[in-house]
């Protein structure tokens, strides 16, 4: 017999554990998903656990004593299966593979033409920002460059949050309009 959360499983333990796993699959998968953090891994681990129980019963290798807590037993078994799966999939790259990866990536640094283009675009943006009214420019810099919260900008400048939002929106619209 086997009770909801535990109880002794007698008779053919592997057969009873298999039946218990099938009967409580959704609950076991939910618990295992919470433990492992992945529903896919939990499902794969439970399938592999069932296969191991099936293989064990075919080889007549039942545990020597009846399993008293089938839920705990299956959770431990499935967790171990999942850990084995994670370890098998975890593979470190050798030195040659690292060299090949770096060769494929190339040099991430911009070439001289890209640097010149970037400097030109930055100078254009700086000139556009300088054309803005002082408060609008200040709001834009505080919010977008200094990453200051809008409410803090409003408090610092002694204006309302809606005015900060309006200045920020107008600054963005102005930049978009001038860069076209």
């Amino acid at each position: 017999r086997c009770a909801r959360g535990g109880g002794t499983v007698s008779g053919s333990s592997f057969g009873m554990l298999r039946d218990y796993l099938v009967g409580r699959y959704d609950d076991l998968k939910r618990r295992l998903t919470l433990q492992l953090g992945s529903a896919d891994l939990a499902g794969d681990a439970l399938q592999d656990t069932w296969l191991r129980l099936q293989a064990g019963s075919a080889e007549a290798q039942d545990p020597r004593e009846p399993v008293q807590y089938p839920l705990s037993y299956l959770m431990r078994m499935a967790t171990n299966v999942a850990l084995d799966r994670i370890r098998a999939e975890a593979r470190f790259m050798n030195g040659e593979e690292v060299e090949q990866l770096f060769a494929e990536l190339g040099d991430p640094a911009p070439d001289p033409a890209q640097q010149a283009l970037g400097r030109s675009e930055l100078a254009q943006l700086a000139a556009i920002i300088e054309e803005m009214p002082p408060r609008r420019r200040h709001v834009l810099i505080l919010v977008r460059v200094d990453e200051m919260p809008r409410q803090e900008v409003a408090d610092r400048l002694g204006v309302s949050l809606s005015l900060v939002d309006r200045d920020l929106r107008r600054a963005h619209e102005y930049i978009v309009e001038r860069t076209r």
Side-chain angles (χ1 to χ4, degrees):
R1 95 176 176 62
C2 73
R4 179 174 160 81
T8 302
V9 175
S10 56
S12 171
S13 293
F14 280 140
M16 292 298 288
L17 286 169
R18 249 191 350 267
D19 293 344
Y20 190 88
L21 189 151
V22 170
R24 302 272 311 266
Y25 179 83
D26 290 337
D27 182 44
L28 285 164
K29 185 173 181 185
R30 181 185 57 78
R31 290 172 184 252
L32 204 55
T33 297
L34 289 172
Q35 184 176 347
L36 299 173
S38 167
D40 290 338
L41 182 58
D44 290 347
L46 287 172
Q47 181 178 358
D48 288 352
T49 299
W50 189 89
L51 290 171
R52 286 185 184 187
L53 290 170
Q54 181 67 25
S57 64
E59 297 166 9
Q61 295 179 353
D62 274 355
R64 293 185 184 152
E65 298 179 14
V67 175
Q68 282 193 310
Y69 302 101
L71 178 64
S72 298
Y73 187 93
L74 288 171
M75 283 295 294
R76 166 89 50 133
M77 190 173 181
T79 300
N80 288 340
V81 167
L83 292 174
D84 289 346
R85 181 179 280 263
I86 290 169
R87 285 185 195 114
E89 290 175 0
R91 186 176 163 267
F92 295 101
M93 294 177 17
N94 64 31
E96 185 178 307
E97 290 169 324
V98 171
E99 293 282 333
Q100 183 180 358
L101 179 63
F102 280 123
E104 289 172 5
L105 290 176
D107 186 8
D111 63 27
Q114 290 172 321
Q115 289 177 0
L117 180 63
R119 279 193 296 272
S120 172
E121 289 173 349
L122 187 59
Q124 180 188 11
L125 179 61
I128 291 170
I129 291 173
E130 281 300 315
E131 296 169 359
M132 290 181 194
R135 188 186 67 223
R136 188 176 302 160
R137 178 177 57 238
H138 197 55
V139 166
L140 178 71
I141 291 170
L142 288 174
V143 173
R144 297 296 177 221
V145 177
D146 297 341
E147 297 180 347
M148 186 180 289
R150 293 179 352 268
Q151 182 61 56
E152 193 174 322
V153 171
D155 294 342
R156 177 185 251 190
L157 299 179
V159 297
S160 68
L161 179 59
S162 62
L163 186 59
V164 167
D165 289 340
R166 186 173 46 230
D167 276 345
L168 190 59
R169 181 177 37 81
R170 286 181 178 165
H172 289 163
E173 289 169 352
Y174 186 74
I175 290 171
V176 168
E177 179 185 312
R178 293 283 285 128
T179 55
R180 283 190 178 156

